[in-house]
Amino acid sequence: SMQCSSGETDRKRRQRRRRVVIYETREEHCNAVCRTIRRSPLRDDDWIARHLALFPPGACIVDLGCGFGGMSELLFRRGFNITATDISSAVLEALASRVPGLKNLKLDIEKPLPFPSALFDVVIADLCLHYFEFATTQQIVSEIHRILTPDGLLCARVNSTEDFNYGAGVGREVEPGLYEHDGHYKRFFDRKMV
């Protein structure tokens, strides 16, 4: 690492200058992320494509915490009946303008889901279950179970306790698997938790 004239490394200088922003709500945080991250809405990481054969034709799907909506858009364009949801109004507004006709709904998954029981054939939860204490995560999963049809499918992707590239073990451990770092919480799952 390069040394500055004061003997301070570039990395230490950047860390010292880094501004930590604490948001009052998860929605404020998600809206800020939406405004600052610039990436293609349709990223091709194909994790969901590997499971499409399990989806009934024309399946009724909800995408919880859809983020930039790339997966919702992909499934919508493949003819599925999909509802994209997120806590961020900024994300949903951008998605609505990009994909007219795609249903979207602003919701907080910490609260009871505003859907009737047994409505969805498929629930997608792509990296949206890792912000919560374990008891809250269990409540969310119970709500997901409630809105799924009896033969419904939950497609979830979560952070692994072994994924050190994305911060596993970084910060103050609040409870087993849940870490607080710079004012944000992130859970890492092992096979037993899943």
PDB file of all heavy atoms in Angstrom, residues 55 59-66 71-72 75 80-86 103-105 107 109 113-115 119-126 128 143-144 147-148 153-155:
ATOM      1  N   PHE A  55     -41.576 -24.040 -11.790  1.00  0.00           N
ATOM      2  CA  PHE A  55     -42.688 -23.094 -11.731  1.00  0.00           C
ATOM      3  C   PHE A  55     -43.824 -23.592 -12.621  1.00  0.00           C
ATOM      4  O   PHE A  55     -43.599 -23.893 -13.795  1.00  0.00           O
ATOM      5  CB  PHE A  55     -42.275 -21.708 -12.225  1.00  0.00           C
ATOM      6  CG  PHE A  55     -41.263 -20.992 -11.372  1.00  0.00           C
ATOM      7  CD1 PHE A  55     -40.512 -21.626 -10.404  1.00  0.00           C
ATOM      8  CD2 PHE A  55     -41.063 -19.641 -11.554  1.00  0.00           C
ATOM      9  CE1 PHE A  55     -39.584 -20.947  -9.635  1.00  0.00           C
ATOM     10  CE2 PHE A  55     -40.141 -18.948 -10.795  1.00  0.00           C
ATOM     11  CZ  PHE A  55     -39.399 -19.603  -9.833  1.00  0.00           C
ATOM     12  N   ALA A  59     -47.609 -19.274 -13.524  1.00  0.00           N
ATOM     13  CA  ALA A  59     -47.633 -19.215 -12.057  1.00  0.00           C
ATOM     14  C   ALA A  59     -47.874 -17.801 -11.554  1.00  0.00           C
ATOM     15  O   ALA A  59     -47.423 -16.821 -12.135  1.00  0.00           O
ATOM     16  CB  ALA A  59     -46.321 -19.749 -11.490  1.00  0.00           C
ATOM     17  N   CYS A  60     -48.590 -17.718 -10.444  1.00  0.00           N
ATOM     18  CA  CYS A  60     -48.798 -16.461  -9.723  1.00  0.00           C
ATOM     19  C   CYS A  60     -47.631 -16.329  -8.744  1.00  0.00           C
ATOM     20  O   CYS A  60     -47.454 -17.166  -7.857  1.00  0.00           O
ATOM     21  CB  CYS A  60     -50.130 -16.509  -8.993  1.00  0.00           C
ATOM     22  SG  CYS A  60     -50.591 -14.958  -8.226  1.00  0.00           S
ATOM     23  N   ILE A  61     -46.816 -15.277  -8.944  1.00  0.00           N
ATOM     24  CA  ILE A  61     -45.550 -15.131  -8.221  1.00  0.00           C
ATOM     25  C   ILE A  61     -45.492 -13.773  -7.535  1.00  0.00           C
ATOM     26  O   ILE A  61     -45.932 -12.774  -8.093  1.00  0.00           O
ATOM     27  CB  ILE A  61     -44.353 -15.233  -9.201  1.00  0.00           C
ATOM     28  CG1 ILE A  61     -44.375 -16.573  -9.936  1.00  0.00           C
ATOM     29  CG2 ILE A  61     -43.027 -15.034  -8.482  1.00  0.00           C
ATOM     30  CD1 ILE A  61     -43.369 -16.667 -11.071  1.00  0.00           C
ATOM     31  N   VAL A  62     -44.904 -13.751  -6.338  1.00  0.00           N
ATOM     32  CA  VAL A  62     -44.575 -12.478  -5.696  1.00  0.00           C
ATOM     33  C   VAL A  62     -43.068 -12.461  -5.460  1.00  0.00           C
ATOM     34  O   VAL A  62     -42.484 -13.453  -5.036  1.00  0.00           O
ATOM     35  CB  VAL A  62     -45.355 -12.234  -4.381  1.00  0.00           C
ATOM     36  CG1 VAL A  62     -45.014 -13.269  -3.310  1.00  0.00           C
ATOM     37  CG2 VAL A  62     -45.137 -10.818  -3.862  1.00  0.00           C
ATOM     38  N   ASP A  63     -42.454 -11.325  -5.808  1.00  0.00           N
ATOM     39  CA  ASP A  63     -41.024 -11.114  -5.614  1.00  0.00           C
ATOM     40  C   ASP A  63     -40.872 -10.156  -4.441  1.00  0.00           C
ATOM     41  O   ASP A  63     -41.079  -8.951  -4.585  1.00  0.00           O
ATOM     42  CB  ASP A  63     -40.410 -10.543  -6.897  1.00  0.00           C
ATOM     43  CG  ASP A  63     -38.900 -10.408  -6.850  1.00  0.00           C
ATOM     44  OD1 ASP A  63     -38.297 -10.723  -5.799  1.00  0.00           O
ATOM     45  OD2 ASP A  63     -38.324  -9.973  -7.869  1.00  0.00           O
ATOM     46  N   LEU A  64     -40.546 -10.695  -3.263  1.00  0.00           N
ATOM     47  CA  LEU A  64     -40.392  -9.874  -2.064  1.00  0.00           C
ATOM     48  C   LEU A  64     -39.035  -9.190  -2.080  1.00  0.00           C
ATOM     49  O   LEU A  64     -38.018  -9.833  -2.326  1.00  0.00           O
ATOM     50  CB  LEU A  64     -40.518 -10.735  -0.805  1.00  0.00           C
ATOM     51  CG  LEU A  64     -41.857 -11.441  -0.598  1.00  0.00           C
ATOM     52  CD1 LEU A  64     -41.795 -12.334   0.641  1.00  0.00           C
ATOM     53  CD2 LEU A  64     -42.994 -10.449  -0.489  1.00  0.00           C
ATOM     54  N   GLY A  65     -39.021  -7.896  -1.799  1.00  0.00           N
ATOM     55  CA  GLY A  65     -37.760  -7.161  -1.793  1.00  0.00           C
ATOM     56  C   GLY A  65     -37.091  -7.216  -3.153  1.00  0.00           C
ATOM     57  O   GLY A  65     -35.929  -7.595  -3.270  1.00  0.00           O
ATOM     58  N   CYS A  66     -37.820  -6.823  -4.188  1.00  0.00           N
ATOM     59  CA  CYS A  66     -37.365  -7.011  -5.567  1.00  0.00           C
ATOM     60  C   CYS A  66     -36.152  -6.172  -5.941  1.00  0.00           C
ATOM     61  O   CYS A  66     -35.529  -6.411  -6.970  1.00  0.00           O
ATOM     62  CB  CYS A  66     -38.500  -6.742  -6.548  1.00  0.00           C
ATOM     63  SG  CYS A  66     -38.995  -5.003  -6.669  1.00  0.00           S
ATOM     64  N   MET A  71     -35.213  -9.428 -11.745  1.00  0.00           N
ATOM     65  CA  MET A  71     -35.821 -10.750 -11.757  1.00  0.00           C
ATOM     66  C   MET A  71     -37.319 -10.660 -12.051  1.00  0.00           C
ATOM     67  O   MET A  71     -37.855 -11.452 -12.820  1.00  0.00           O
ATOM     68  CB  MET A  71     -35.589 -11.447 -10.415  1.00  0.00           C
ATOM     69  CG  MET A  71     -35.883 -12.909 -10.495  1.00  0.00           C
ATOM     70  SD  MET A  71     -35.387 -13.796  -9.023  1.00  0.00           S
ATOM     71  CE  MET A  71     -33.980 -12.921  -8.463  1.00  0.00           C
ATOM     72  N   SER A  72     -37.985  -9.675 -11.454  1.00  0.00           N
ATOM     73  CA  SER A  72     -39.414  -9.485 -11.725  1.00  0.00           C
ATOM     74  C   SER A  72     -39.641  -9.198 -13.206  1.00  0.00           C
ATOM     75  O   SER A  72     -40.557  -9.739 -13.822  1.00  0.00           O
ATOM     76  CB  SER A  72     -39.969  -8.326 -10.887  1.00  0.00           C
ATOM     77  OG  SER A  72     -39.972  -8.647  -9.528  1.00  0.00           O
ATOM     78  N   LEU A  75     -39.176 -12.437 -15.271  1.00  0.00           N
ATOM     79  CA  LEU A  75     -40.309 -13.358 -15.141  1.00  0.00           C
ATOM     80  C   LEU A  75     -41.561 -12.800 -15.811  1.00  0.00           C
ATOM     81  O   LEU A  75     -42.330 -13.538 -16.424  1.00  0.00           O
ATOM     82  CB  LEU A  75     -40.558 -13.677 -13.665  1.00  0.00           C
ATOM     83  CG  LEU A  75     -39.421 -14.461 -12.997  1.00  0.00           C
ATOM     84  CD1 LEU A  75     -39.633 -14.535 -11.496  1.00  0.00           C
ATOM     85  CD2 LEU A  75     -39.275 -15.844 -13.599  1.00  0.00           C
ATOM     86  N   PHE A  80     -45.093 -14.852 -16.760  1.00  0.00           N
ATOM     87  CA  PHE A  80     -45.605 -15.181 -15.429  1.00  0.00           C
ATOM     88  C   PHE A  80     -46.420 -14.012 -14.875  1.00  0.00           C
ATOM     89  O   PHE A  80     -46.185 -12.852 -15.205  1.00  0.00           O
ATOM     90  CB  PHE A  80     -44.453 -15.509 -14.473  1.00  0.00           C
ATOM     91  CG  PHE A  80     -43.790 -16.813 -14.786  1.00  0.00           C
ATOM     92  CD1 PHE A  80     -42.568 -16.838 -15.445  1.00  0.00           C
ATOM     93  CD2 PHE A  80     -44.382 -18.016 -14.436  1.00  0.00           C
ATOM     94  CE1 PHE A  80     -41.941 -18.039 -15.740  1.00  0.00           C
ATOM     95  CE2 PHE A  80     -43.769 -19.224 -14.730  1.00  0.00           C
ATOM     96  CZ  PHE A  80     -42.545 -19.237 -15.385  1.00  0.00           C
ATOM     97  N   ASN A  81     -47.391 -14.332 -14.032  1.00  0.00           N
ATOM     98  CA  ASN A  81     -48.216 -13.345 -13.341  1.00  0.00           C
ATOM     99  C   ASN A  81     -47.462 -12.942 -12.070  1.00  0.00           C
ATOM    100  O   ASN A  81     -47.541 -13.631 -11.065  1.00  0.00           O
ATOM    101  CB  ASN A  81     -49.574 -13.973 -13.020  1.00  0.00           C
ATOM    102  CG  ASN A  81     -50.461 -13.063 -12.225  1.00  0.00           C
ATOM    103  OD1 ASN A  81     -50.167 -11.880 -12.037  1.00  0.00           O
ATOM    104  ND2 ASN A  81     -51.554 -13.610 -11.722  1.00  0.00           N
ATOM    105  N   ILE A  82     -46.725 -11.852 -12.142  1.00  0.00           N
ATOM    106  CA  ILE A  82     -45.820 -11.506 -11.046  1.00  0.00           C
ATOM    107  C   ILE A  82     -46.154 -10.155 -10.435  1.00  0.00           C
ATOM    108  O   ILE A  82     -46.554  -9.227 -11.135  1.00  0.00           O
ATOM    109  CB  ILE A  82     -44.343 -11.546 -11.497  1.00  0.00           C
ATOM    110  CG1 ILE A  82     -43.408 -11.294 -10.304  1.00  0.00           C
ATOM    111  CG2 ILE A  82     -44.072 -10.612 -12.647  1.00  0.00           C
ATOM    112  CD1 ILE A  82     -42.048 -11.886 -10.453  1.00  0.00           C
ATOM    113  N   THR A  83     -45.993 -10.079  -9.125  1.00  0.00           N
ATOM    114  CA  THR A  83     -46.104  -8.825  -8.388  1.00  0.00           C
ATOM    115  C   THR A  83     -44.750  -8.553  -7.751  1.00  0.00           C
ATOM    116  O   THR A  83     -44.246  -9.362  -6.968  1.00  0.00           O
ATOM    117  CB  THR A  83     -47.186  -8.920  -7.281  1.00  0.00           C
ATOM    118  OG1 THR A  83     -48.438  -9.250  -7.881  1.00  0.00           O
ATOM    119  CG2 THR A  83     -47.306  -7.604  -6.525  1.00  0.00           C
ATOM    120  N   ALA A  84     -44.165  -7.417  -8.127  1.00  0.00           N
ATOM    121  CA  ALA A  84     -42.875  -7.000  -7.572  1.00  0.00           C
ATOM    122  C   ALA A  84     -43.143  -6.159  -6.331  1.00  0.00           C
ATOM    123  O   ALA A  84     -43.977  -5.263  -6.362  1.00  0.00           O
ATOM    124  CB  ALA A  84     -42.099  -6.189  -8.609  1.00  0.00           C
ATOM    125  N   THR A  85     -42.437  -6.445  -5.234  1.00  0.00           N
ATOM    126  CA  THR A  85     -42.636  -5.673  -4.006  1.00  0.00           C
ATOM    127  C   THR A  85     -41.287  -5.211  -3.473  1.00  0.00           C
ATOM    128  O   THR A  85     -40.274  -5.873  -3.647  1.00  0.00           O
ATOM    129  CB  THR A  85     -43.341  -6.498  -2.910  1.00  0.00           C
ATOM    130  OG1 THR A  85     -42.446  -7.489  -2.406  1.00  0.00           O
ATOM    131  CG2 THR A  85     -44.611  -7.153  -3.435  1.00  0.00           C
ATOM    132  N   ASP A  86     -41.317  -4.073  -2.807  1.00  0.00           N
ATOM    133  CA  ASP A  86     -40.113  -3.563  -2.168  1.00  0.00           C
ATOM    134  C   ASP A  86     -40.532  -2.497  -1.163  1.00  0.00           C
ATOM    135  O   ASP A  86     -41.629  -1.928  -1.268  1.00  0.00           O
ATOM    136  CB  ASP A  86     -39.136  -2.970  -3.183  1.00  0.00           C
ATOM    137  CG  ASP A  86     -37.704  -2.973  -2.654  1.00  0.00           C
ATOM    138  OD1 ASP A  86     -37.336  -2.055  -1.897  1.00  0.00           O
ATOM    139  OD2 ASP A  86     -36.960  -3.916  -2.997  1.00  0.00           O
ATOM    140  N   LYS A 103     -47.128  -5.465 -12.237  1.00  0.00           N
ATOM    141  CA  LYS A 103     -47.720  -5.061 -10.960  1.00  0.00           C
ATOM    142  C   LYS A 103     -46.613  -4.852  -9.932  1.00  0.00           C
ATOM    143  O   LYS A 103     -45.680  -5.645  -9.861  1.00  0.00           O
ATOM    144  CB  LYS A 103     -48.692  -6.129 -10.436  1.00  0.00           C
ATOM    145  CG  LYS A 103     -49.933  -6.321 -11.276  1.00  0.00           C
ATOM    146  CD  LYS A 103     -50.794  -7.420 -10.706  1.00  0.00           C
ATOM    147  CE  LYS A 103     -50.206  -8.746 -11.097  1.00  0.00           C
ATOM    148  NZ  LYS A 103     -51.016  -9.914 -10.844  1.00  0.00           N
ATOM    149  N   ASN A 104     -46.744  -3.792  -9.149  1.00  0.00           N
ATOM    150  CA  ASN A 104     -45.795  -3.590  -8.065  1.00  0.00           C
ATOM    151  C   ASN A 104     -46.527  -3.042  -6.849  1.00  0.00           C
ATOM    152  O   ASN A 104     -47.585  -2.431  -6.976  1.00  0.00           O
ATOM    153  CB  ASN A 104     -44.617  -2.717  -8.488  1.00  0.00           C
ATOM    154  CG  ASN A 104     -44.995  -1.284  -8.692  1.00  0.00           C
ATOM    155  OD1 ASN A 104     -45.323  -0.589  -7.742  1.00  0.00           O
ATOM    156  ND2 ASN A 104     -44.940  -0.815  -9.937  1.00  0.00           N
ATOM    157  N   LEU A 105     -45.955  -3.298  -5.698  1.00  0.00           N
ATOM    158  CA  LEU A 105     -46.583  -2.902  -4.439  1.00  0.00           C
ATOM    159  C   LEU A 105     -45.501  -2.571  -3.428  1.00  0.00           C
ATOM    160  O   LEU A 105     -44.565  -3.357  -3.218  1.00  0.00           O
ATOM    161  CB  LEU A 105     -47.446  -4.055  -3.910  1.00  0.00           C
ATOM    162  CG  LEU A 105     -48.144  -3.846  -2.583  1.00  0.00           C
ATOM    163  CD1 LEU A 105     -49.200  -2.747  -2.702  1.00  0.00           C
ATOM    164  CD2 LEU A 105     -48.782  -5.144  -2.110  1.00  0.00           C
ATOM    165  N   LEU A 107     -44.237  -2.455   0.147  1.00  0.00           N
ATOM    166  CA  LEU A 107     -44.572  -3.086   1.427  1.00  0.00           C
ATOM    167  C   LEU A 107     -43.329  -3.328   2.243  1.00  0.00           C
ATOM    168  O   LEU A 107     -42.216  -3.368   1.732  1.00  0.00           O
ATOM    169  CB  LEU A 107     -45.360  -4.383   1.231  1.00  0.00           C
ATOM    170  CG  LEU A 107     -44.742  -5.558   0.500  1.00  0.00           C
ATOM    171  CD1 LEU A 107     -43.803  -6.362   1.375  1.00  0.00           C
ATOM    172  CD2 LEU A 107     -45.859  -6.475   0.040  1.00  0.00           C
ATOM    173  N   ILE A 109     -41.751  -6.084   4.633  1.00  0.00           N
ATOM    174  CA  ILE A 109     -41.950  -7.500   4.946  1.00  0.00           C
ATOM    175  C   ILE A 109     -41.911  -7.793   6.439  1.00  0.00           C
ATOM    176  O   ILE A 109     -42.241  -8.903   6.852  1.00  0.00           O
ATOM    177  CB  ILE A 109     -40.966  -8.420   4.179  1.00  0.00           C
ATOM    178  CG1 ILE A 109     -39.518  -8.168   4.568  1.00  0.00           C
ATOM    179  CG2 ILE A 109     -41.171  -8.306   2.683  1.00  0.00           C
ATOM    180  CD1 ILE A 109     -38.538  -9.165   3.963  1.00  0.00           C
ATOM    181  N   LEU A 113     -48.054  -9.575   5.607  1.00  0.00           N
ATOM    182  CA  LEU A 113     -48.139  -9.369   4.160  1.00  0.00           C
ATOM    183  C   LEU A 113     -49.596  -9.154   3.752  1.00  0.00           C
ATOM    184  O   LEU A 113     -50.480  -9.897   4.195  1.00  0.00           O
ATOM    185  CB  LEU A 113     -47.523 -10.561   3.427  1.00  0.00           C
ATOM    186  CG  LEU A 113     -46.039 -10.796   3.724  1.00  0.00           C
ATOM    187  CD1 LEU A 113     -45.541 -12.078   3.062  1.00  0.00           C
ATOM    188  CD2 LEU A 113     -45.199  -9.603   3.291  1.00  0.00           C
ATOM    189  N   PRO A 114     -49.858  -8.155   2.905  1.00  0.00           N
ATOM    190  CA  PRO A 114     -51.232  -7.767   2.583  1.00  0.00           C
ATOM    191  C   PRO A 114     -51.866  -8.611   1.474  1.00  0.00           C
ATOM    192  O   PRO A 114     -52.487  -8.084   0.546  1.00  0.00           O
ATOM    193  CB  PRO A 114     -51.059  -6.312   2.131  1.00  0.00           C
ATOM    194  CG  PRO A 114     -49.727  -6.304   1.463  1.00  0.00           C
ATOM    195  CD  PRO A 114     -48.886  -7.260   2.279  1.00  0.00           C
ATOM    196  N   PHE A 115     -51.701  -9.922   1.567  1.00  0.00           N
ATOM    197  CA  PHE A 115     -52.240 -10.821   0.558  1.00  0.00           C
ATOM    198  C   PHE A 115     -53.093 -11.880   1.232  1.00  0.00           C
ATOM    199  O   PHE A 115     -52.810 -12.274   2.365  1.00  0.00           O
ATOM    200  CB  PHE A 115     -51.095 -11.524  -0.199  1.00  0.00           C
ATOM    201  CG  PHE A 115     -50.109 -10.589  -0.844  1.00  0.00           C
ATOM    202  CD1 PHE A 115     -48.815 -10.488  -0.370  1.00  0.00           C
ATOM    203  CD2 PHE A 115     -50.475  -9.822  -1.942  1.00  0.00           C
ATOM    204  CE1 PHE A 115     -47.889  -9.643  -0.963  1.00  0.00           C
ATOM    205  CE2 PHE A 115     -49.564  -8.971  -2.546  1.00  0.00           C
ATOM    206  CZ  PHE A 115     -48.274  -8.879  -2.055  1.00  0.00           C
ATOM    207  N   LEU A 119     -52.401 -17.590  -1.969  1.00  0.00           N
ATOM    208  CA  LEU A 119     -52.553 -16.859  -3.236  1.00  0.00           C
ATOM    209  C   LEU A 119     -51.459 -17.185  -4.242  1.00  0.00           C
ATOM    210  O   LEU A 119     -51.718 -17.291  -5.443  1.00  0.00           O
ATOM    211  CB  LEU A 119     -52.563 -15.350  -2.965  1.00  0.00           C
ATOM    212  CG  LEU A 119     -52.635 -14.444  -4.187  1.00  0.00           C
ATOM    213  CD1 LEU A 119     -53.966 -14.648  -4.926  1.00  0.00           C
ATOM    214  CD2 LEU A 119     -52.480 -12.989  -3.782  1.00  0.00           C
ATOM    215  N   PHE A 120     -50.221 -17.371  -3.786  1.00  0.00           N
ATOM    216  CA  PHE A 120     -49.089 -17.455  -4.704  1.00  0.00           C
ATOM    217  C   PHE A 120     -48.579 -18.879  -4.877  1.00  0.00           C
ATOM    218  O   PHE A 120     -48.429 -19.622  -3.914  1.00  0.00           O
ATOM    219  CB  PHE A 120     -47.946 -16.560  -4.219  1.00  0.00           C
ATOM    220  CG  PHE A 120     -48.304 -15.103  -4.249  1.00  0.00           C
ATOM    221  CD1 PHE A 120     -48.625 -14.431  -3.074  1.00  0.00           C
ATOM    222  CD2 PHE A 120     -48.335 -14.401  -5.447  1.00  0.00           C
ATOM    223  CE1 PHE A 120     -48.965 -13.090  -3.098  1.00  0.00           C
ATOM    224  CE2 PHE A 120     -48.678 -13.067  -5.483  1.00  0.00           C
ATOM    225  CZ  PHE A 120     -48.998 -12.408  -4.307  1.00  0.00           C
ATOM    226  N   ASP A 121     -48.272 -19.210  -6.135  1.00  0.00           N
ATOM    227  CA  ASP A 121     -47.636 -20.492  -6.452  1.00  0.00           C
ATOM    228  C   ASP A 121     -46.155 -20.455  -6.103  1.00  0.00           C
ATOM    229  O   ASP A 121     -45.563 -21.481  -5.759  1.00  0.00           O
ATOM    230  CB  ASP A 121     -47.772 -20.797  -7.949  1.00  0.00           C
ATOM    231  CG  ASP A 121     -49.215 -20.866  -8.393  1.00  0.00           C
ATOM    232  OD1 ASP A 121     -49.974 -21.658  -7.811  1.00  0.00           O
ATOM    233  OD2 ASP A 121     -49.584 -20.108  -9.315  1.00  0.00           O
ATOM    234  N   VAL A 122     -45.554 -19.253  -6.220  1.00  0.00           N
ATOM    235  CA  VAL A 122     -44.132 -19.091  -5.979  1.00  0.00           C
ATOM    236  C   VAL A 122     -43.901 -17.781  -5.228  1.00  0.00           C
ATOM    237  O   VAL A 122     -44.473 -16.746  -5.585  1.00  0.00           O
ATOM    238  CB  VAL A 122     -43.325 -19.056  -7.299  1.00  0.00           C
ATOM    239  CG1 VAL A 122     -41.841 -18.843  -7.030  1.00  0.00           C
ATOM    240  CG2 VAL A 122     -43.552 -20.316  -8.123  1.00  0.00           C
ATOM    241  N   VAL A 123     -43.075 -17.837  -4.198  1.00  0.00           N
ATOM    242  CA  VAL A 123     -42.595 -16.632  -3.520  1.00  0.00           C
ATOM    243  C   VAL A 123     -41.082 -16.592  -3.720  1.00  0.00           C
ATOM    244  O   VAL A 123     -40.394 -17.573  -3.447  1.00  0.00           O
ATOM    245  CB  VAL A 123     -42.931 -16.626  -2.014  1.00  0.00           C
ATOM    246  CG1 VAL A 123     -42.260 -15.457  -1.315  1.00  0.00           C
ATOM    247  CG2 VAL A 123     -44.443 -16.577  -1.793  1.00  0.00           C
ATOM    248  N   ILE A 124     -40.600 -15.442  -4.206  1.00  0.00           N
ATOM    249  CA  ILE A 124     -39.170 -15.242  -4.375  1.00  0.00           C
ATOM    250  C   ILE A 124     -38.700 -14.283  -3.287  1.00  0.00           C
ATOM    251  O   ILE A 124     -39.296 -13.218  -3.097  1.00  0.00           O
ATOM    252  CB  ILE A 124     -38.850 -14.673  -5.774  1.00  0.00           C
ATOM    253  CG1 ILE A 124     -39.256 -15.688  -6.842  1.00  0.00           C
ATOM    254  CG2 ILE A 124     -37.368 -14.308  -5.879  1.00  0.00           C
ATOM    255  CD1 ILE A 124     -39.179 -15.164  -8.244  1.00  0.00           C
ATOM    256  N   ALA A 125     -37.668 -14.681  -2.580  1.00  0.00           N
ATOM    257  CA  ALA A 125     -37.064 -13.840  -1.545  1.00  0.00           C
ATOM    258  C   ALA A 125     -35.556 -13.842  -1.803  1.00  0.00           C
ATOM    259  O   ALA A 125     -34.815 -14.625  -1.232  1.00  0.00           O
ATOM    260  CB  ALA A 125     -37.393 -14.374  -0.157  1.00  0.00           C
ATOM    261  N   ASP A 126     -35.138 -12.968  -2.708  1.00  0.00           N
ATOM    262  CA  ASP A 126     -33.738 -12.919  -3.136  1.00  0.00           C
ATOM    263  C   ASP A 126     -32.988 -11.887  -2.306  1.00  0.00           C
ATOM    264  O   ASP A 126     -33.107 -10.690  -2.519  1.00  0.00           O
ATOM    265  CB  ASP A 126     -33.671 -12.566  -4.620  1.00  0.00           C
ATOM    266  CG  ASP A 126     -32.253 -12.536  -5.155  1.00  0.00           C
ATOM    267  OD1 ASP A 126     -31.348 -13.085  -4.496  1.00  0.00           O
ATOM    268  OD2 ASP A 126     -32.044 -11.963  -6.245  1.00  0.00           O
ATOM    269  N   CYS A 128     -33.401 -10.761   0.683  1.00  0.00           N
ATOM    270  CA  CYS A 128     -34.189  -9.784   1.446  1.00  0.00           C
ATOM    271  C   CYS A 128     -34.472 -10.256   2.868  1.00  0.00           C
ATOM    272  O   CYS A 128     -35.080  -9.530   3.645  1.00  0.00           O
ATOM    273  CB  CYS A 128     -35.494  -9.459   0.725  1.00  0.00           C
ATOM    274  SG  CYS A 128     -36.674 -10.813   0.649  1.00  0.00           S
ATOM    275  N   GLU A 143     -45.292 -15.822   7.439  1.00  0.00           N
ATOM    276  CA  GLU A 143     -46.172 -15.092   6.519  1.00  0.00           C
ATOM    277  C   GLU A 143     -46.009 -15.609   5.088  1.00  0.00           C
ATOM    278  O   GLU A 143     -46.984 -15.740   4.354  1.00  0.00           O
ATOM    279  CB  GLU A 143     -45.873 -13.585   6.567  1.00  0.00           C
ATOM    280  CG  GLU A 143     -46.609 -12.847   7.637  1.00  0.00           C
ATOM    281  CD  GLU A 143     -48.113 -12.840   7.386  1.00  0.00           C
ATOM    282  OE1 GLU A 143     -48.594 -12.091   6.503  1.00  0.00           O
ATOM    283  OE2 GLU A 143     -48.820 -13.608   8.069  1.00  0.00           O
ATOM    284  N   ILE A 144     -44.781 -15.896   4.698  1.00  0.00           N
ATOM    285  CA  ILE A 144     -44.549 -16.460   3.364  1.00  0.00           C
ATOM    286  C   ILE A 144     -45.280 -17.787   3.230  1.00  0.00           C
ATOM    287  O   ILE A 144     -45.962 -18.044   2.229  1.00  0.00           O
ATOM    288  CB  ILE A 144     -43.033 -16.627   3.097  1.00  0.00           C
ATOM    289  CG1 ILE A 144     -42.375 -15.249   2.922  1.00  0.00           C
ATOM    290  CG2 ILE A 144     -42.785 -17.514   1.881  1.00  0.00           C
ATOM    291  CD1 ILE A 144     -40.850 -15.279   2.881  1.00  0.00           C
ATOM    292  N   ILE A 147     -49.050 -17.257   2.607  1.00  0.00           N
ATOM    293  CA  ILE A 147     -49.511 -16.776   1.294  1.00  0.00           C
ATOM    294  C   ILE A 147     -49.217 -17.763   0.156  1.00  0.00           C
ATOM    295  O   ILE A 147     -49.706 -17.580  -0.954  1.00  0.00           O
ATOM    296  CB  ILE A 147     -48.940 -15.382   0.951  1.00  0.00           C
ATOM    297  CG1 ILE A 147     -47.420 -15.398   0.792  1.00  0.00           C
ATOM    298  CG2 ILE A 147     -49.410 -14.361   1.993  1.00  0.00           C
ATOM    299  CD1 ILE A 147     -46.829 -14.086   0.278  1.00  0.00           C
ATOM    300  N   LEU A 148     -48.432 -18.796   0.440  1.00  0.00           N
ATOM    301  CA  LEU A 148     -48.164 -19.821  -0.569  1.00  0.00           C
ATOM    302  C   LEU A 148     -49.314 -20.810  -0.677  1.00  0.00           C
ATOM    303  O   LEU A 148     -49.943 -21.162   0.329  1.00  0.00           O
ATOM    304  CB  LEU A 148     -46.901 -20.606  -0.213  1.00  0.00           C
ATOM    305  CG  LEU A 148     -45.569 -20.031  -0.647  1.00  0.00           C
ATOM    306  CD1 LEU A 148     -44.419 -20.794   0.003  1.00  0.00           C
ATOM    307  CD2 LEU A 148     -45.427 -20.018  -2.159  1.00  0.00           C
ATOM    308  N   LEU A 153     -43.989 -22.916  -3.817  1.00  0.00           N
ATOM    309  CA  LEU A 153     -42.538 -23.004  -3.796  1.00  0.00           C
ATOM    310  C   LEU A 153     -41.948 -21.691  -3.300  1.00  0.00           C
ATOM    311  O   LEU A 153     -42.323 -20.618  -3.786  1.00  0.00           O
ATOM    312  CB  LEU A 153     -42.055 -23.276  -5.235  1.00  0.00           C
ATOM    313  CG  LEU A 153     -40.566 -23.355  -5.493  1.00  0.00           C
ATOM    314  CD1 LEU A 153     -39.953 -24.556  -4.783  1.00  0.00           C
ATOM    315  CD2 LEU A 153     -40.318 -23.442  -7.001  1.00  0.00           C
ATOM    316  N   LEU A 154     -41.053 -21.778  -2.324  1.00  0.00           N
ATOM    317  CA  LEU A 154     -40.287 -20.616  -1.878  1.00  0.00           C
ATOM    318  C   LEU A 154     -38.904 -20.717  -2.496  1.00  0.00           C
ATOM    319  O   LEU A 154     -38.188 -21.689  -2.274  1.00  0.00           O
ATOM    320  CB  LEU A 154     -40.168 -20.576  -0.351  1.00  0.00           C
ATOM    321  CG  LEU A 154     -39.147 -19.580   0.222  1.00  0.00           C
ATOM    322  CD1 LEU A 154     -39.476 -18.147  -0.168  1.00  0.00           C
ATOM    323  CD2 LEU A 154     -39.054 -19.723   1.735  1.00  0.00           C
ATOM    324  N   CYS A 155     -38.545 -19.709  -3.294  1.00  0.00           N
ATOM    325  CA  CYS A 155     -37.191 -19.622  -3.855  1.00  0.00           C
ATOM    326  C   CYS A 155     -36.492 -18.491  -3.121  1.00  0.00           C
ATOM    327  O   CYS A 155     -36.817 -17.318  -3.323  1.00  0.00           O
ATOM    328  CB  CYS A 155     -37.230 -19.316  -5.348  1.00  0.00           C
ATOM    329  SG  CYS A 155     -37.766 -20.700  -6.338  1.00  0.00           S
TER     330      CYS A 155
END
